[in-house]
Amino acid sequence: MKSRPTFSSTRKILLASIALLSIGMGSTAATGAWFTTSRSVANNQLTSATVTLGEIASGSAAVSFTNLIPLADSEVSSKAKTFLVFADNQGNVPIDWNASYTLTSTNELANQARIQYQIGNGSWSDATSVSAMSGSKIFSTSSIDPGKYQVVAFRVWLPFNADNSTQGKQVSFTLNVNGIQVGAPFS
């Protein structure tokens, strides 16, 4: 006669089956058997912008005013010595700019000679002495886009009442143009 499983052996088999199922389900969860996917893109780059100024005077040659003579106020617009400075944005972001000159030598000519500047087609500034304007910054009136430029015209003359102490005199100066990305403060 066959022996029939006892209640306790059936219970043991049931418990063993539950344990095996639990272990199987637990190991499936532990292996992370979820549907997944991923992609990669190689050779990515970060590139910074450039702020670059082109030549500020024709061929970046030194500016030379020769043969300044006394002029009447009515002659200034047609006879004053004039030179152009270019704020030329050769970078790849818009820039703000400023221009200035600094005297590297001075004498009576710098004190008596008069200077004015004009940005683009704007109005001429008030006339002042060359020595008084030395080191003063002329700030842009608008930003310059990449590949574009703005012109600053300077004109210099001796006033009609200049005295003989200016004859044969020479002053030297350094011309500066500074560019900075739009919105950044000049230090």
Side-chain angles (χ1 to χ4, degrees):
M1 171 166 166
K2 277 187 171 183
S3 77
R4 197 169 182 201
T6 63
F7 180 73
S8 68
S9 66
T10 304
R11 189 173 173 194
K12 287 180 188 177
I13 292 172
L14 181 61
L15 286 174
S17 297
I18 291 173
L20 286 174
L21 278 173
S22 296
I23 291 171
M25 290 169 70
S27 66
T28 301
T31 62
W34 300 103
F35 294 142
T36 63
T37 186
S38 65
R39 289 191 178 194
S40 298
V41 177
N43 301 319
N44 301 294
Q45 296 179 348
L46 288 173
T47 304
S48 62
T50 58
V51 173
T52 306
L53 290 172
E55 295 181 354
I56 61 174
S58 181
S60 284
V63 175
S64 181
F65 293 101
T66 57
N67 301 322
L68 291 178
I69 58 172
L71 299 174
D73 291 344
S74 62
E75 297 175 301
V76 169
S77 63
S78 62
K79 293 185 179 178
K81 301 294 181 174
T82 303
F83 73 96
L84 304 178
V85 172
F86 298 90
D88 181 9
N89 184 358
Q90 293 187 352
N92 57 21
V93 294
I95 63 169
D96 288 325
W97 60 271
N98 69 41
S100 65
Y101 68 88
T102 306
L103 291 175
T104 54
S105 69
T106 189
N107 55 38
E108 195 54 34
L109 177 60
N111 294 329
Q112 292 190 46
R114 297 289 175 250
I115 189 166
Q116 288 180 297
Y117 68 88
Q118 176 189 43
I119 300 173
N121 294 323
S123 300
W124 285 97
S125 68
D126 292 335
T128 189
S129 73
V130 169
S131 60
M133 192 172 167
S134 177
S136 297
K137 303 255 190 242
I138 301 165
F139 287 95
S140 55
T141 55
S142 62
S143 62
I144 306 172
D145 289 329
K148 305 289 183 183
Y149 64 91
Q150 280 187 335
V151 177
V152 182
F154 288 89
R155 63 183 179 196
V156 181
W157 71 97
L158 285 168
F160 72 92
N161 59 353
D163 61 42
N164 285 331
S165 67
T166 62
Q167 286 190 49
K169 301 291 185 199
Q170 181 178 16
V171 294
S172 300
F173 60 95
T174 300
L175 182 60
N176 302 296
V177 175
N178 303 297
I180 192 167
Q181 71 187 55
V182 168
F186 280 101
S187 56

